[in-house]
Amino acid sequence: RKEVEQDPGPFNVPEGATVAFNCTYSNSASQSFFWYRQDCRKEPKLLMSVYSSGNEDGRFTAQLNRASQYISLLIRDSKLSDSATYLCVVSGDNDMRFGAGTRLTVKP
Amino acid sequence: EPEVTQTPSHQVTQMGQEVILRCVPISNHLYFYWYRQILGQKVEFLVSFYNNEISEKSEIFDDQFSVERPDGSNFTLKIRSTKLEDSAMYFCASSRAYQPQHFGDGTRLSIL
């Protein structure tokens, strides 16, 4: 089983749509959880941390279910600039493990 | 906003040669990392470094690889006897304890 597994995508959605990404992780001892975004041939950039109580940052909502080892990201009112690959990232003491990413394309 | 900086942005090397990739982490960060991303594939953890020693390394980080913090600001990744399959984007990252990692914009390594 992969350490961090994401929806394969790609997701192609119109502007204004709501889109949800899911992620599962295998290591129950994982401590921290993040969503990063990566534009083509660029470095990963932190989008948001994910907390057990769920958290929201503008149009983005992240949720964590430790019992199910499941993380989600919801993007509301999607913009053209949201087009990117979204990486689910799970962290232990000294490393971060990345999912393969889900490609999102928002179209006019 | 402080940034992680990496040099060079692109390195082209003959197979079998040694390369050194350089990184300057954010100044108040104490944890340093190297990752690689082969074109079209996912980001892969290589190694983490804290308090002047390796704290964790992946199965990819074999005897061909080494890391060093030669002074108070630089963090380097050395790859000895490079192979074609070492061609990838190499990202350096740094963080404070229990905080998200910040990535440099990467070095593209091309092995010929």
PDB file of all heavy atoms in Angstrom, chain A residues 9-40:
ATOM      1  N   GLY A   9      -7.130  11.869 -10.439  1.00  0.00           N
ATOM      2  CA  GLY A   9      -7.388  12.977 -11.338  1.00  0.00           C
ATOM      3  C   GLY A   9      -7.184  12.562 -12.785  1.00  0.00           C
ATOM      4  O   GLY A   9      -7.136  11.362 -13.074  1.00  0.00           O
ATOM      5  N   PRO A  10      -7.026  13.463 -13.747  1.00  0.00           N
ATOM      6  CA  PRO A  10      -7.120  14.904 -13.524  1.00  0.00           C
ATOM      7  C   PRO A  10      -8.564  15.370 -13.346  1.00  0.00           C
ATOM      8  O   PRO A  10      -9.483  14.694 -13.758  1.00  0.00           O
ATOM      9  CB  PRO A  10      -6.512  15.478 -14.804  1.00  0.00           C
ATOM     10  CG  PRO A  10      -6.814  14.454 -15.845  1.00  0.00           C
ATOM     11  CD  PRO A  10      -6.781  13.125 -15.156  1.00  0.00           C
ATOM     12  N   PHE A  11      -8.698  16.517 -12.716  1.00  0.00           N
ATOM     13  CA  PHE A  11      -9.993  17.152 -12.550  1.00  0.00           C
ATOM     14  C   PHE A  11     -10.045  18.352 -13.490  1.00  0.00           C
ATOM     15  O   PHE A  11      -9.180  19.218 -13.417  1.00  0.00           O
ATOM     16  CB  PHE A  11     -10.190  17.627 -11.105  1.00  0.00           C
ATOM     17  CG  PHE A  11     -10.480  16.517 -10.126  1.00  0.00           C
ATOM     18  CD1 PHE A  11      -9.529  15.561  -9.842  1.00  0.00           C
ATOM     19  CD2 PHE A  11     -11.693  16.457  -9.476  1.00  0.00           C
ATOM     20  CE1 PHE A  11      -9.786  14.546  -8.931  1.00  0.00           C
ATOM     21  CE2 PHE A  11     -11.955  15.446  -8.562  1.00  0.00           C
ATOM     22  CZ  PHE A  11     -11.017  14.493  -8.285  1.00  0.00           C
ATOM     23  N   ASN A  12     -11.038  18.372 -14.346  1.00  0.00           N
ATOM     24  CA  ASN A  12     -11.246  19.511 -15.240  1.00  0.00           C
ATOM     25  C   ASN A  12     -12.596  20.114 -14.885  1.00  0.00           C
ATOM     26  O   ASN A  12     -13.626  19.461 -15.047  1.00  0.00           O
ATOM     27  CB  ASN A  12     -11.227  19.066 -16.700  1.00  0.00           C
ATOM     28  CG  ASN A  12      -9.889  18.468 -17.090  1.00  0.00           C
ATOM     29  OD1 ASN A  12      -8.852  19.095 -16.922  1.00  0.00           O
ATOM     30  ND2 ASN A  12      -9.904  17.256 -17.598  1.00  0.00           N
ATOM     31  N   VAL A  13     -12.592  21.337 -14.369  1.00  0.00           N
ATOM     32  CA  VAL A  13     -13.831  21.943 -13.890  1.00  0.00           C
ATOM     33  C   VAL A  13     -13.977  23.339 -14.457  1.00  0.00           C
ATOM     34  O   VAL A  13     -12.987  24.000 -14.778  1.00  0.00           O
ATOM     35  CB  VAL A  13     -13.860  21.998 -12.343  1.00  0.00           C
ATOM     36  CG1 VAL A  13     -13.672  20.601 -11.753  1.00  0.00           C
ATOM     37  CG2 VAL A  13     -12.838  22.958 -11.789  1.00  0.00           C
ATOM     38  N   PRO A  14     -15.217  23.840 -14.558  1.00  0.00           N
ATOM     39  CA  PRO A  14     -15.413  25.225 -15.007  1.00  0.00           C
ATOM     40  C   PRO A  14     -15.173  26.188 -13.853  1.00  0.00           C
ATOM     41  O   PRO A  14     -15.271  25.822 -12.668  1.00  0.00           O
ATOM     42  CB  PRO A  14     -16.886  25.234 -15.435  1.00  0.00           C
ATOM     43  CG  PRO A  14     -17.518  24.175 -14.605  1.00  0.00           C
ATOM     44  CD  PRO A  14     -16.479  23.119 -14.382  1.00  0.00           C
ATOM     45  N   GLU A  15     -14.866  27.406 -14.196  1.00  0.00           N
ATOM     46  CA  GLU A  15     -14.736  28.466 -13.183  1.00  0.00           C
ATOM     47  C   GLU A  15     -15.980  28.504 -12.317  1.00  0.00           C
ATOM     48  O   GLU A  15     -17.105  28.353 -12.816  1.00  0.00           O
ATOM     49  CB  GLU A  15     -14.617  29.833 -13.879  1.00  0.00           C
ATOM     50  CG  GLU A  15     -13.223  30.306 -14.099  1.00  0.00           C
ATOM     51  CD  GLU A  15     -13.195  31.739 -14.634  1.00  0.00           C
ATOM     52  OE1 GLU A  15     -13.695  31.950 -15.754  1.00  0.00           O
ATOM     53  OE2 GLU A  15     -12.673  32.602 -13.922  1.00  0.00           O
ATOM     54  N   GLY A  16     -15.776  28.699 -11.030  1.00  0.00           N
ATOM     55  CA  GLY A  16     -16.912  28.799 -10.123  1.00  0.00           C
ATOM     56  C   GLY A  16     -17.349  27.475  -9.522  1.00  0.00           C
ATOM     57  O   GLY A  16     -18.150  27.452  -8.582  1.00  0.00           O
ATOM     58  N   ALA A  17     -16.829  26.393 -10.039  1.00  0.00           N
ATOM     59  CA  ALA A  17     -17.225  25.078  -9.525  1.00  0.00           C
ATOM     60  C   ALA A  17     -16.598  24.820  -8.159  1.00  0.00           C
ATOM     61  O   ALA A  17     -15.610  25.449  -7.768  1.00  0.00           O
ATOM     62  CB  ALA A  17     -16.793  23.987 -10.503  1.00  0.00           C
ATOM     63  N   THR A  18     -17.188  23.874  -7.457  1.00  0.00           N
ATOM     64  CA  THR A  18     -16.616  23.360  -6.213  1.00  0.00           C
ATOM     65  C   THR A  18     -15.989  22.000  -6.508  1.00  0.00           C
ATOM     66  O   THR A  18     -16.596  21.170  -7.186  1.00  0.00           O
ATOM     67  CB  THR A  18     -17.700  23.212  -5.142  1.00  0.00           C
ATOM     68  OG1 THR A  18     -18.216  24.507  -4.823  1.00  0.00           O
ATOM     69  CG2 THR A  18     -17.138  22.577  -3.887  1.00  0.00           C
ATOM     70  N   VAL A  19     -14.795  21.812  -6.010  1.00  0.00           N
ATOM     71  CA  VAL A  19     -14.093  20.557  -6.281  1.00  0.00           C
ATOM     72  C   VAL A  19     -13.474  20.046  -4.974  1.00  0.00           C
ATOM     73  O   VAL A  19     -13.056  20.834  -4.127  1.00  0.00           O
ATOM     74  CB  VAL A  19     -13.017  20.744  -7.375  1.00  0.00           C
ATOM     75  CG1 VAL A  19     -11.969  21.761  -6.971  1.00  0.00           C
ATOM     76  CG2 VAL A  19     -12.390  19.428  -7.773  1.00  0.00           C
ATOM     77  N   ALA A  20     -13.479  18.729  -4.817  1.00  0.00           N
ATOM     78  CA  ALA A  20     -12.961  18.114  -3.589  1.00  0.00           C
ATOM     79  C   ALA A  20     -11.905  17.080  -3.935  1.00  0.00           C
ATOM     80  O   ALA A  20     -12.083  16.289  -4.869  1.00  0.00           O
ATOM     81  CB  ALA A  20     -14.090  17.462  -2.811  1.00  0.00           C
ATOM     82  N   PHE A  21     -10.824  17.104  -3.161  1.00  0.00           N
ATOM     83  CA  PHE A  21      -9.752  16.125  -3.307  1.00  0.00           C
ATOM     84  C   PHE A  21      -9.665  15.295  -2.035  1.00  0.00           C
ATOM     85  O   PHE A  21      -9.820  15.827  -0.936  1.00  0.00           O
ATOM     86  CB  PHE A  21      -8.392  16.808  -3.523  1.00  0.00           C
ATOM     87  CG  PHE A  21      -8.341  17.715  -4.707  1.00  0.00           C
ATOM     88  CD1 PHE A  21      -7.667  18.927  -4.635  1.00  0.00           C
ATOM     89  CD2 PHE A  21      -8.947  17.373  -5.901  1.00  0.00           C
ATOM     90  CE1 PHE A  21      -7.606  19.773  -5.729  1.00  0.00           C
ATOM     91  CE2 PHE A  21      -8.889  18.215  -6.996  1.00  0.00           C
ATOM     92  CZ  PHE A  21      -8.218  19.421  -6.911  1.00  0.00           C
ATOM     93  N   ASN A  22      -9.384  14.022  -2.207  1.00  0.00           N
ATOM     94  CA  ASN A  22      -9.258  13.124  -1.070  1.00  0.00           C
ATOM     95  C   ASN A  22      -7.871  12.520  -1.020  1.00  0.00           C
ATOM     96  O   ASN A  22      -7.193  12.401  -2.043  1.00  0.00           O
ATOM     97  CB  ASN A  22     -10.290  11.998  -1.184  1.00  0.00           C
ATOM     98  CG  ASN A  22     -11.691  12.539  -1.256  1.00  0.00           C
ATOM     99  OD1 ASN A  22     -12.061  13.432  -0.498  1.00  0.00           O
ATOM    100  ND2 ASN A  22     -12.476  12.030  -2.185  1.00  0.00           N
ATOM    101  N   CYS A  23      -7.500  12.104   0.180  1.00  0.00           N
ATOM    102  CA  CYS A  23      -6.165  11.552   0.388  1.00  0.00           C
ATOM    103  C   CYS A  23      -6.242  10.584   1.562  1.00  0.00           C
ATOM    104  O   CYS A  23      -6.910  10.872   2.563  1.00  0.00           O
ATOM    105  CB  CYS A  23      -5.207  12.702   0.687  1.00  0.00           C
ATOM    106  SG  CYS A  23      -3.569  12.223   1.239  1.00  0.00           S
ATOM    107  N   THR A  24      -5.575   9.444   1.447  1.00  0.00           N
ATOM    108  CA  THR A  24      -5.457   8.528   2.581  1.00  0.00           C
ATOM    109  C   THR A  24      -3.986   8.269   2.842  1.00  0.00           C
ATOM    110  O   THR A  24      -3.154   8.340   1.925  1.00  0.00           O
ATOM    111  CB  THR A  24      -6.173   7.194   2.317  1.00  0.00           C
ATOM    112  OG1 THR A  24      -5.652   6.618   1.109  1.00  0.00           O
ATOM    113  CG2 THR A  24      -7.670   7.391   2.166  1.00  0.00           C
ATOM    114  N   TYR A  25      -3.659   7.980   4.098  1.00  0.00           N
ATOM    115  CA  TYR A  25      -2.272   7.708   4.469  1.00  0.00           C
ATOM    116  C   TYR A  25      -2.209   6.425   5.277  1.00  0.00           C
ATOM    117  O   TYR A  25      -3.173   6.038   5.941  1.00  0.00           O
ATOM    118  CB  TYR A  25      -1.666   8.894   5.219  1.00  0.00           C
ATOM    119  CG  TYR A  25      -2.360   9.258   6.509  1.00  0.00           C
ATOM    120  CD1 TYR A  25      -1.909   8.779   7.739  1.00  0.00           C
ATOM    121  CD2 TYR A  25      -3.463  10.105   6.501  1.00  0.00           C
ATOM    122  CE1 TYR A  25      -2.552   9.116   8.915  1.00  0.00           C
ATOM    123  CE2 TYR A  25      -4.105  10.452   7.675  1.00  0.00           C
ATOM    124  CZ  TYR A  25      -3.656   9.955   8.874  1.00  0.00           C
ATOM    125  OH  TYR A  25      -4.293  10.290  10.048  1.00  0.00           O
ATOM    126  N   SER A  26      -1.051   5.778   5.225  1.00  0.00           N
ATOM    127  CA  SER A  26      -0.955   4.442   5.811  1.00  0.00           C
ATOM    128  C   SER A  26      -0.334   4.441   7.214  1.00  0.00           C
ATOM    129  O   SER A  26      -0.591   3.521   7.993  1.00  0.00           O
ATOM    130  CB  SER A  26      -0.136   3.531   4.896  1.00  0.00           C
ATOM    131  OG  SER A  26       1.168   4.051   4.722  1.00  0.00           O
ATOM    132  N   ASN A  27       0.447   5.448   7.535  1.00  0.00           N
ATOM    133  CA  ASN A  27       1.159   5.451   8.818  1.00  0.00           C
ATOM    134  C   ASN A  27       0.318   6.128   9.901  1.00  0.00           C
ATOM    135  O   ASN A  27       0.189   7.356   9.934  1.00  0.00           O
ATOM    136  CB  ASN A  27       2.503   6.169   8.665  1.00  0.00           C
ATOM    137  CG  ASN A  27       3.349   6.096   9.920  1.00  0.00           C
ATOM    138  OD1 ASN A  27       2.913   5.591  10.955  1.00  0.00           O
ATOM    139  ND2 ASN A  27       4.558   6.609   9.849  1.00  0.00           N
ATOM    140  N   SER A  28      -0.215   5.336  10.797  1.00  0.00           N
ATOM    141  CA  SER A  28      -1.090   5.878  11.828  1.00  0.00           C
ATOM    142  C   SER A  28      -0.338   6.761  12.827  1.00  0.00           C
ATOM    143  O   SER A  28      -0.958   7.507  13.578  1.00  0.00           O
ATOM    144  CB  SER A  28      -1.781   4.734  12.583  1.00  0.00           C
ATOM    145  OG  SER A  28      -0.811   3.881  13.167  1.00  0.00           O
ATOM    146  N   ALA A  29       0.978   6.699  12.834  1.00  0.00           N
ATOM    147  CA  ALA A  29       1.781   7.526  13.738  1.00  0.00           C
ATOM    148  C   ALA A  29       2.079   8.907  13.151  1.00  0.00           C
ATOM    149  O   ALA A  29       2.759   9.714  13.783  1.00  0.00           O
ATOM    150  CB  ALA A  29       3.085   6.815  14.081  1.00  0.00           C
ATOM    151  N   SER A  30       1.594   9.180  11.962  1.00  0.00           N
ATOM    152  CA  SER A  30       1.830  10.487  11.331  1.00  0.00           C
ATOM    153  C   SER A  30       1.311  11.591  12.230  1.00  0.00           C
ATOM    154  O   SER A  30       0.288  11.446  12.908  1.00  0.00           O
ATOM    155  CB  SER A  30       1.148  10.554   9.963  1.00  0.00           C
ATOM    156  OG  SER A  30       1.668   9.549   9.113  1.00  0.00           O
ATOM    157  N   GLN A  31       2.033  12.706  12.199  1.00  0.00           N
ATOM    158  CA  GLN A  31       1.747  13.756  13.171  1.00  0.00           C
ATOM    159  C   GLN A  31       1.176  15.027  12.566  1.00  0.00           C
ATOM    160  O   GLN A  31       0.394  15.727  13.209  1.00  0.00           O
ATOM    161  CB  GLN A  31       3.030  14.098  13.926  1.00  0.00           C
ATOM    162  CG  GLN A  31       3.592  12.931  14.706  1.00  0.00           C
ATOM    163  CD  GLN A  31       4.938  13.243  15.331  1.00  0.00           C
ATOM    164  OE1 GLN A  31       5.462  14.333  15.181  1.00  0.00           O
ATOM    165  NE2 GLN A  31       5.504  12.286  16.030  1.00  0.00           N
ATOM    166  N   SER A  32       1.629  15.362  11.372  1.00  0.00           N
ATOM    167  CA  SER A  32       1.226  16.632  10.778  1.00  0.00           C
ATOM    168  C   SER A  32       0.788  16.391   9.350  1.00  0.00           C
ATOM    169  O   SER A  32       1.289  15.490   8.671  1.00  0.00           O
ATOM    170  CB  SER A  32       2.388  17.630  10.799  1.00  0.00           C
ATOM    171  OG  SER A  32       2.861  17.810  12.110  1.00  0.00           O
ATOM    172  N   PHE A  33      -0.105  17.249   8.903  1.00  0.00           N
ATOM    173  CA  PHE A  33      -0.736  17.038   7.605  1.00  0.00           C
ATOM    174  C   PHE A  33      -0.867  18.374   6.890  1.00  0.00           C
ATOM    175  O   PHE A  33      -1.195  19.390   7.511  1.00  0.00           O
ATOM    176  CB  PHE A  33      -2.116  16.392   7.798  1.00  0.00           C
ATOM    177  CG  PHE A  33      -2.069  15.177   8.687  1.00  0.00           C
ATOM    178  CD1 PHE A  33      -2.223  15.306  10.058  1.00  0.00           C
ATOM    179  CD2 PHE A  33      -1.844  13.927   8.142  1.00  0.00           C
ATOM    180  CE1 PHE A  33      -2.142  14.203  10.886  1.00  0.00           C
ATOM    181  CE2 PHE A  33      -1.767  12.813   8.968  1.00  0.00           C
ATOM    182  CZ  PHE A  33      -1.917  12.941  10.337  1.00  0.00           C
ATOM    183  N   PHE A  34      -0.606  18.341   5.591  1.00  0.00           N
ATOM    184  CA  PHE A  34      -0.599  19.590   4.827  1.00  0.00           C
ATOM    185  C   PHE A  34      -1.140  19.348   3.434  1.00  0.00           C
ATOM    186  O   PHE A  34      -1.076  18.243   2.901  1.00  0.00           O
ATOM    187  CB  PHE A  34       0.844  20.122   4.688  1.00  0.00           C
ATOM    188  CG  PHE A  34       1.603  20.208   5.988  1.00  0.00           C
ATOM    189  CD1 PHE A  34       2.470  19.190   6.360  1.00  0.00           C
ATOM    190  CD2 PHE A  34       1.455  21.300   6.831  1.00  0.00           C
ATOM    191  CE1 PHE A  34       3.172  19.251   7.548  1.00  0.00           C
ATOM    192  CE2 PHE A  34       2.163  21.370   8.022  1.00  0.00           C
ATOM    193  CZ  PHE A  34       3.012  20.340   8.380  1.00  0.00           C
ATOM    194  N   TRP A  35      -1.608  20.409   2.840  1.00  0.00           N
ATOM    195  CA  TRP A  35      -1.843  20.457   1.401  1.00  0.00           C
ATOM    196  C   TRP A  35      -0.860  21.472   0.810  1.00  0.00           C
ATOM    197  O   TRP A  35      -0.754  22.602   1.278  1.00  0.00           O
ATOM    198  CB  TRP A  35      -3.272  20.868   1.069  1.00  0.00           C
ATOM    199  CG  TRP A  35      -4.272  19.772   1.282  1.00  0.00           C
ATOM    200  CD1 TRP A  35      -5.095  19.610   2.349  1.00  0.00           C
ATOM    201  CD2 TRP A  35      -4.550  18.681   0.395  1.00  0.00           C
ATOM    202  NE1 TRP A  35      -5.867  18.482   2.193  1.00  0.00           N
ATOM    203  CE2 TRP A  35      -5.550  17.899   0.995  1.00  0.00           C
ATOM    204  CE3 TRP A  35      -4.048  18.290  -0.858  1.00  0.00           C
ATOM    205  CZ2 TRP A  35      -6.063  16.742   0.395  1.00  0.00           C
ATOM    206  CZ3 TRP A  35      -4.551  17.153  -1.454  1.00  0.00           C
ATOM    207  CH2 TRP A  35      -5.558  16.391  -0.832  1.00  0.00           C
ATOM    208  N   TYR A  36      -0.144  21.025  -0.204  1.00  0.00           N
ATOM    209  CA  TYR A  36       0.731  21.902  -0.977  1.00  0.00           C
ATOM    210  C   TYR A  36       0.174  21.973  -2.385  1.00  0.00           C
ATOM    211  O   TYR A  36      -0.518  21.066  -2.844  1.00  0.00           O
ATOM    212  CB  TYR A  36       2.160  21.324  -1.056  1.00  0.00           C
ATOM    213  CG  TYR A  36       3.034  21.586   0.158  1.00  0.00           C
ATOM    214  CD1 TYR A  36       2.802  20.937   1.368  1.00  0.00           C
ATOM    215  CD2 TYR A  36       4.114  22.465   0.082  1.00  0.00           C
ATOM    216  CE1 TYR A  36       3.619  21.178   2.469  1.00  0.00           C
ATOM    217  CE2 TYR A  36       4.939  22.704   1.176  1.00  0.00           C
ATOM    218  CZ  TYR A  36       4.685  22.050   2.363  1.00  0.00           C
ATOM    219  OH  TYR A  36       5.495  22.279   3.459  1.00  0.00           O
ATOM    220  N   ARG A  37       0.500  23.041  -3.095  1.00  0.00           N
ATOM    221  CA  ARG A  37       0.203  23.091  -4.518  1.00  0.00           C
ATOM    222  C   ARG A  37       1.518  23.220  -5.277  1.00  0.00           C
ATOM    223  O   ARG A  37       2.502  23.806  -4.782  1.00  0.00           O
ATOM    224  CB  ARG A  37      -0.754  24.214  -4.887  1.00  0.00           C
ATOM    225  CG  ARG A  37      -0.225  25.600  -4.755  1.00  0.00           C
ATOM    226  CD  ARG A  37      -1.174  26.623  -5.375  1.00  0.00           C
ATOM    227  NE  ARG A  37      -1.014  26.741  -6.822  1.00  0.00           N
ATOM    228  CZ  ARG A  37      -1.853  27.388  -7.621  1.00  0.00           C
ATOM    229  NH1 ARG A  37      -2.932  27.960  -7.119  1.00  0.00           N
ATOM    230  NH2 ARG A  37      -1.639  27.466  -8.909  1.00  0.00           N
ATOM    231  N   GLN A  38       1.527  22.636  -6.457  1.00  0.00           N
ATOM    232  CA  GLN A  38       2.734  22.693  -7.279  1.00  0.00           C
ATOM    233  C   GLN A  38       2.322  23.059  -8.702  1.00  0.00           C
ATOM    234  O   GLN A  38       1.528  22.353  -9.335  1.00  0.00           O
ATOM    235  CB  GLN A  38       3.482  21.354  -7.264  1.00  0.00           C
ATOM    236  CG  GLN A  38       4.822  21.417  -7.982  1.00  0.00           C
ATOM    237  CD  GLN A  38       5.625  20.137  -7.878  1.00  0.00           C
ATOM    238  OE1 GLN A  38       5.064  19.049  -7.733  1.00  0.00           O
ATOM    239  NE2 GLN A  38       6.944  20.236  -7.929  1.00  0.00           N
ATOM    240  N   ASP A  39       2.852  24.169  -9.159  1.00  0.00           N
ATOM    241  CA  ASP A  39       2.676  24.554 -10.554  1.00  0.00           C
ATOM    242  C   ASP A  39       3.725  23.839 -11.396  1.00  0.00           C
ATOM    243  O   ASP A  39       4.767  23.415 -10.879  1.00  0.00           O
ATOM    244  CB  ASP A  39       2.773  26.065 -10.689  1.00  0.00           C
ATOM    245  CG  ASP A  39       1.617  26.755  -9.977  1.00  0.00           C
ATOM    246  OD1 ASP A  39       0.490  26.651 -10.488  1.00  0.00           O
ATOM    247  OD2 ASP A  39       1.842  27.349  -8.912  1.00  0.00           O
ATOM    248  N   CYS A  40       3.449  23.751 -12.687  1.00  0.00           N
ATOM    249  CA  CYS A  40       4.297  22.963 -13.579  1.00  0.00           C
ATOM    250  C   CYS A  40       5.759  23.401 -13.488  1.00  0.00           C
ATOM    251  O   CYS A  40       6.073  24.580 -13.647  1.00  0.00           O
ATOM    252  CB  CYS A  40       3.778  23.098 -15.007  1.00  0.00           C
ATOM    253  SG  CYS A  40       4.588  21.980 -16.160  1.00  0.00           S
TER     254      CYS A  40
END
